[in-house]
Amino acid sequence: MKPIERPRILLVPYPAQGHVTPMLQLASALQLRGFEPVMVTPEYVHRQIAPRIEPKSGIICRSIPDGLDEKEPRDFFTIEFAMENNMPVHLERIICSFDEDGGVLCVVVDLLASWAIKVSKHCGVPVAGFWPAMLATYRLITAIPEMIRAGVISEFGIPQHQGKLCLLPNEPMLSIEDLPWLVGNLAARKSRFIFWLRTLSRSRTLRWVIVNSFPENGDEMIKQQRKSVESPPENPPHVFQVGPLSCHSGSKNPSFWEEDRSCLDWLNKHKACSVIYVSFGSWVKPLGEEKLNELALGLEASRRPFLWVVGPSWQERFPIGYLGRLAGRGKVVSWAPQMEVLKHEAIGCYLTHCGWNSTMEAIQSGKCLLCYPVAGDQFVNCTYIVNVWKIGVKIDGFGWRDVEEGVRSVMEDEGEMHQRVMELKARVIAKEGSSRAVASLTAFIDDLQ
Ligand code: UDP
């Protein structure tokens, strides 16, 4: 085998924007530390991101077919089918193709793409898990066996009683209904739970898990986690909290969609802290017409300017005459340059679905949050935003008055919430050299080598 200058690391994200972005950021960090990162994504993702990654970033992109019909929607279940049935053989082909060219040092696999753990092990390549979300949600998933044993959930993940759940001492109470797989009807919930059981079983033997979370009391939390597990796996993985990851030069945040930059000019015309930014991320199914309308009316009633990210097909479902009535005060775009928007001084608060990337971007930008969680890990993230960090407020209901009231409470905050988010921002983006996240990534690399 020919030796290569830079040891090669393959990265396999789950194919959605909120997963590809942090994986690319990790690729960028690994490239800076002397590795050759190779991102492997299905063709439909590759088409969107590869042209937006500059060659000087040193990140190589390779695509594999997902075997689905071009026109078939890529939702949780079709993607799961493709990952389990169609993609493994193609990843194996890519790993083998490097055999004569320096080989692969390690494959970093998003835990939601656990199919790639199986393939990498089969090819005899070491695997590191990647959790693109908060440590607390990773902890929640790894606690599934304990929850079943304790009778909190059935063996199909269905809550056995109502109420609150506390997984760790000094951690917030979570509502049992907020468990991340409880999305959709009973059959969908069970299927999602089986997906997590499969993930758990495949990640049991991992040596490393890299988490895109900032290390706040994290080490303590991991120690407690180990103590609290009745019968821990023999060698629990080393957990490295490396967040918040960010992009380095030459690798701007590659969006799947074209960013509408006109909203930045529009923001320039507004006073500091006057605008509400509204976005529900990339993945959440639209709220449904009724909630969309209540949200629209609540924003109208707030009498404040707002910038709202809504896909084209949903823009048609606003109340009749809505956009005309609010021309000038409400700006609607299909996709925004979110990080630049959040950093803009005109933004006063962020009405969010509490996706983990969006949450960290808001913290990095020092913006308070108005929370409207919809699915998955967003309810847990919301609990931390509202009850632990106290940097946001949850909208208390779905009616337009609830939205109006929520907007008022964040925009008219006396400054305490804002001070807390600025303090959290300072802790999270401490100087690079001294940051615990950087040390954590270095520790992973040392162990890997
Ligand atoms: N995003 C963006 N422009 C938009 C809306 C979202 O660039 O108009 C980005 C956002 O900055 C974040 C990602 O899309 O990095 C969404 O990830 P998140 O984890 O918040 O939510 P998800 O889409 O996974 O539900």
Side-chain angles (χ1 to χ4, degrees):
M1 190 196 294
K2 180 174 120 207
I4 52 168
E5 236 173 82
R6 287 173 163 265
R8 182 175 290 121
I9 296 185
L10 259 57
L11 301 107
V12 186
Y14 180 83
Q17 179 80 66
H19 294 250
V20 172
T21 300
M23 194 63 110
L24 271 168
Q25 292 165 340
L26 178 64
S28 172
L30 291 170
Q31 199 278 338
L32 276 183
R33 285 164 176 79
F35 295 93
E36 181 187 273
V38 182
M39 285 281 289
V40 183
T41 55
E43 278 155 0
Y44 72 96
V45 172
H46 180 86
R47 269 199 303 276
Q48 305 296 333
I49 60 165
R52 297 190 167 106
I53 297 175
E54 292 180 29
K56 73 171 182 207
S57 73
I59 299 172
I60 295 167
C61 292
R62 296 286 294 268
S63 73
I64 53 177
D66 68 4
L68 299 177
D69 191 81
E70 194 70 16
K71 293 205 179 78
E72 193 164 352
R74 267 62 174 176
D75 62 23
F76 183 84
F77 295 110
T78 55
I79 291 177
E80 183 187 13
F81 180 86
M83 293 193 301
E84 292 301 323
N85 299 287
N86 305 342
M87 287 156 66
V89 62
H90 299 288
L91 177 62
E92 187 173 342
R93 176 177 47 78
I94 288 191
I95 295 177
C96 293
S97 73
F98 290 122
D99 278 352
E100 298 303 313
D101 182 25
V104 175
L105 177 68
C106 172
V107 184
V108 179
V109 177
D110 189 328
L111 292 185
L112 274 87
S114 65
W115 62 278
I117 299 179
K118 200 171 144 194
V119 176
S120 309
K121 285 191 173 160
H122 173 73
C123 296
V125 181
V127 188
F130 179 60
W131 185 254
M134 185 169 34
L135 180 67
T137 47
Y138 170 70
R139 165 70 191 119
L140 199 58
I141 298 300
T142 56
I144 284 175
E146 284 170 81
M147 286 192 266
I148 295 177
R149 264 199 304 277
V152 175
I153 52 172
S154 73
E155 57 188 345
F156 294 110
I158 306 306
Q160 297 301 287
H161 52 79
Q162 306 253 301
K164 299 275 180 185
L165 185 69
C166 186
L167 291 176
L168 294 169
N170 308 323
E171 286 301 312
M173 301 290 279
L174 303 172
S175 164
I176 295 182
E177 273 299 314
D178 292 349
L179 290 170
W181 52 87
L182 299 178
V183 182
N185 62 21
L186 189 62
R189 289 172 172 217
K190 287 182 177 174
S191 305
R192 283 175 188 265
F193 187 68
I194 288 166
F195 173 91
W196 286 116
L197 289 180
R198 197 189 302 127
T199 300
L200 266 183
S201 136
R202 287 178 180 156
S203 47
R204 194 155 288 143
T205 54
L206 289 179
R207 181 181 167 127
W208 311 283
V209 175
I210 303 168
V211 180
N212 187 21
S213 209
F214 43 88
E216 256 227 321
N217 307 322
D219 304 338
E220 192 48 33
M221 190 166 171
I222 292 165
K223 268 187 234 146
Q224 287 171 351
Q225 169 185 341
R226 291 208 175 125
K227 261 192 249 156
S228 76
V229 178
E230 275 172 39
S231 48
E234 265 173 30
N235 294 306
H238 295 272
V239 174
F240 300 92
Q241 290 190 82
V242 300
L245 288 159
S246 56
C247 277
H248 300 275
S249 60
S251 58
K252 271 182 65 199
N253 206 354
S255 283
F256 286 15
W257 301 279
E258 200 62 54
E259 291 167 344
D260 183 342
R261 301 187 64 80
S262 69
C263 57
L264 295 172
D265 294 333
W266 184 83
L267 284 176
N268 288 339
K269 296 187 187 114
H270 288 84
K271 283 199 292 215
C273 299
S274 63
V275 178
I276 308 155
Y277 173 56
V278 188
S279 162
F280 286 81
S282 63
W283 182 244
V284 167
K285 279 257 183 315
L287 298 172
E289 204 154 323
E290 201 185 329
K291 286 183 183 167
L292 183 95
N293 277 307
E294 292 296 323
L295 200 52
L297 296 175
L299 288 169
E300 181 172 8
S302 79
R303 297 173 185 272
R304 295 171 195 272
F306 60 86
L307 167 62
W308 192 352
V309 180
V310 190
S313 62
W314 283 86
Q315 290 182 17
E316 293 159 12
R317 303 186 207 191
F318 280 131
I320 294 165
Y322 182 73
L323 290 177
R325 203 158 70 222
L326 292 181
R329 176 148 85 79
K331 167 98 176 153
V332 173
V333 294
S334 303
W335 191 252
Q338 178 160 305
M339 199 61 187
E340 286 169 79
V341 166
L342 282 172
K343 282 194 177 340
H344 199 288
E345 61 168 11
I347 298 296
C349 88
Y350 174 19
L351 199 168
T352 176
H353 69 313
C354 306
W356 181 241
N357 292 289
S358 297
T359 301
M360 282 205 298
E361 289 160 12
I363 294 171
Q364 287 168 275
S365 313
K367 295 291 150 70
C368 295
L369 298 144
L370 179 54
C371 304
Y372 196 129
V374 180
D377 63 348
Q378 297 153 16
F379 293 96
V380 178
N381 299 343
C382 172
T383 301
Y384 277 74
I385 293 166
V386 176
N387 300 337
V388 178
W389 303 316
K390 300 186 170 58
I391 56 167
V393 166
K394 186 177 178 193
I395 296 182
D396 193 16
F398 299 109
W400 66 268
R401 283 180 207 280
D402 305 314
V403 176
E404 184 199 9
E405 179 52 38
V407 167
R408 188 174 316 117
S409 65
V410 180
M411 294 296 271
E412 291 177 11
D413 165 58
E414 309 266 89
E416 289 171 15
M417 212 155 41
H418 188 246
Q419 193 180 332
R420 282 192 292 269
V421 78
M422 293 311 280
E423 285 166 7
L424 185 55
K425 172 185 169 179
R427 290 203 297 279
V428 164
I429 53 172
K431 269 209 166 102
E432 256 229 300
S434 61
S435 147
R436 288 159 71 189
V438 172
S440 206
L441 185 60
T442 308
F444 162 67
I445 290 170
D446 288 347
D447 205 23
L448 176 65
Q449 285 177 326

